[in-house]
Amino acid sequence: MLSTENVKAYLLNLQESICESLSVIDGKPFIHDSWQRTEGGGGVSRVLEGGAVIEKGGVNFSEVFGNKLPGSATAHRPQLAGAPWQAMGVSLVIHPRNPYAPTSHMNVRFFIARPEHGEPVWWFGGGFDLTPYYGFDEDCRHWHQTAQTALAPFGDDVHARYKQWCDDYFFLKHRNEHRGIGGVFFDDLNEGGFDRCFALTQAVGNAYLPAYTPILQQRQAMPYSERERDFQLYRRGRYVEFNLVWDRGTLFGLQSGGRTEAILMSLPPEVRFRYDWAPEPGTPEARLYSHYLKPQDWLNEN
C-alpha cells in the first residue's frame, strides 16, 4: 500500500543509524543542521568534518515539494511536466582521511507526481558505489558480495542488472574513465508494486553499513606517506568532476531550488588538480587505473 509517511519514517531512521555507526568508528559526532525550503519542504543535514577517521562526511535527509517537476525529472516522462510533486531521500558521501580507505556514496530516494488527470506516478531510486584510491581485491569482493546478498530476494538477475547500471552510470565520459569499482544503482523503479519496490529500496539502504564499515575499519589506521596523500587528493578531483558535470541528483537538487550547501556537501574538503598527469607504469597508482577502474565480476574472479 502506497504510504509516503512510511517511506519518510524509514529514511529518517536510516539517516540516524548510519550517523550513529560512523560516529562510533570516528569518535566524533555528526552535527545537525535543519533547513527549510521556501518552495516547500526541507530537510536535515548531518555533517562530520575534521574527524580522526572521516575527514569529511555528510548524511542528508530531504523532503521537498513543488508545483512543477524540473527538467531532470521529466526528461523521460514529458507527460508529467507541470505536475505537482514530492521527493524525499537520504544521500551520503564519506571521505576518509586515510588514502587507503575508499570514499563511499549511497542514496535512496522516492518521487511521486500527481498529474491533474490520472493516477499518481511514483518511483524509487538509489544505490551505493565505492571509490578507492588504493585498491584491495578483498574489499572489492566484500562490497559486491554484500550488494548481491541484499538483492538476492528480489530476483536472480536483479543484482547483475543493477551492477551493470552502476558501472554505466558512474562513468566520467569526458575522461573515458570509471569513478570507482561500482556497486549497484537503480532508478525509475515501480515494477512489481509499491511494497516490493519499497522493500528493495530498504534492502539497498540497509546494506550500506555492512558493506562499508568493515572496509573502513580495516583501512583507517594503515600507515601512509605524502605520496599516498597526494594521489588521494588528485583522485578526489575526479569525484568533483563527476558530481558537478554528470550527477543527476546534483542537477535535480539545483534545478528544484534545493539547499546548495546540502547539495554540494558531497564535495571533498581538499583536492588537487594538475595538468595532464599520469602515474608511472608499474606503480600502485597505475594499478588503480589498470585493475580497479575496469568493471569486472568481482564475485567470480580467480
Side-chain angles (χ1 to χ4, degrees), residues 66-89:
N67 293 319
K68 181 181 179 181
L69 275 166
S72 59
T74 58
H76 303 295
R77 294 182 175 87
Q79 74 276 16
L80 297 180
W85 58 274
Q86 178 183 5
M88 63 179 78

Side-chain angles (χ1 to χ4, degrees), residues 88-129:
M88 63 179 78
V90 166
S91 179
L92 69 83
V93 177
I94 304 299
H95 293 289
R97 186 174 298 279
N98 193 308
Y100 288 107
T103 286
S104 67
H105 160 259
M106 187 276 291
N107 78 77
V108 284
R109 57 192 181 273
F110 174 71
F111 292 86
I112 184 167
R114 296 179 171 86
E116 183 178 357
H117 303 289
E119 295 295 314
V121 178
W122 57 266
W123 63 93
F124 288 90
F128 51 69
D129 69 290

Side-chain angles (χ1 to χ4, degrees), residues 5-248:
E5 287 305 310
N6 287 347
V7 177
K8 180 178 180 178
Y10 167 71
L11 293 171
L12 286 169
N13 287 333
L14 178 65
Q15 181 191 38
E16 181 65 25
S17 65
I18 289 173
C19 290
E20 285 183 359
S21 296
L22 293 176
S23 292
V24 169
I25 294 173
D26 188 272
K28 184 176 183 178
F30 284 73
I31 65 169
H32 292 241
D33 184 16
S34 298
W35 51 275
Q36 296 296 316
R37 178 173 172 271
T38 303
E39 294 84 353
V44 179
S45 297
R46 304 280 298 273
V47 180
L48 193 163
E49 290 186 290
V53 175
I54 299 172
E55 190 171 7
K56 182 183 179 186
V59 186
N60 270 337
F61 165 79
S62 63
E63 180 189 22
V64 295
F65 306 87
N67 293 319
K68 181 181 179 181
L69 275 166
S72 59
T74 58
H76 303 295
R77 294 182 175 87
Q79 74 276 16
L80 297 180
W85 58 274
Q86 178 183 5
M88 63 179 78
V90 166
S91 179
L92 69 83
V93 177
I94 304 299
H95 293 289
R97 186 174 298 279
N98 193 308
Y100 288 107
T103 286
S104 67
H105 160 259
M106 187 276 291
N107 78 77
V108 284
R109 57 192 181 273
F110 174 71
F111 292 86
I112 184 167
R114 296 179 171 86
E116 183 178 357
H117 303 289
E119 295 295 314
V121 178
W122 57 266
W123 63 93
F124 288 90
F128 51 69
D129 69 290
L130 196 70
T131 306
Y133 308 98
Y134 292 88
F136 298 90
D137 284 12
E138 59 267 34
D139 294 354
C140 299
R141 286 191 290 268
H142 168 77
W143 181 256
H144 287 282
Q145 183 63 67
T146 306
Q148 184 189 60
T149 300
L151 290 172
F154 301 95
D156 294 339
D157 65 334
V158 172
H159 172 258
R161 288 193 290 116
Y162 289 1
K163 179 185 181 298
Q164 183 64 55
W165 200 341
C166 188
D167 289 336
D168 294 341
Y169 181 75
F170 291 103
F171 181 73
L172 289 84
K173 299 179 181 67
H174 62 289
R175 297 280 189 183
N176 194 31
E177 180 182 296
H178 287 83
R179 187 168 85 171
I181 66 158
V184 291
F185 179 84
F186 65 97
D187 205 357
D188 304 319
L189 176 68
N190 58 14
E191 61 188 43
F194 178 85
D195 290 343
R196 175 190 180 273
C197 295
F198 186 23
L200 187 153
T201 303
Q202 291 176 80
V204 170
N206 295 343
Y208 169 75
L209 283 174
Y212 186 56
T213 54
I215 297 172
L216 181 62
Q217 291 172 308
Q218 178 75 12
R219 307 301 170 195
Q220 68 184 48
M222 289 184 66
Y224 64 90
S225 68
E226 180 55 32
R227 171 187 176 132
E228 289 87 358
R229 175 65 170 171
D230 182 72
F231 186 61
Q232 177 196 44
L233 298 187
Y234 172 75
R235 285 298 308 173
R236 281 179 175 176
R238 298 294 202 267
Y239 214 91
V240 173
E241 290 180 22
F242 181 86
N243 279 28
L244 296 184
V245 176
W246 299 108
D247 186 63
R248 283 177 60 185

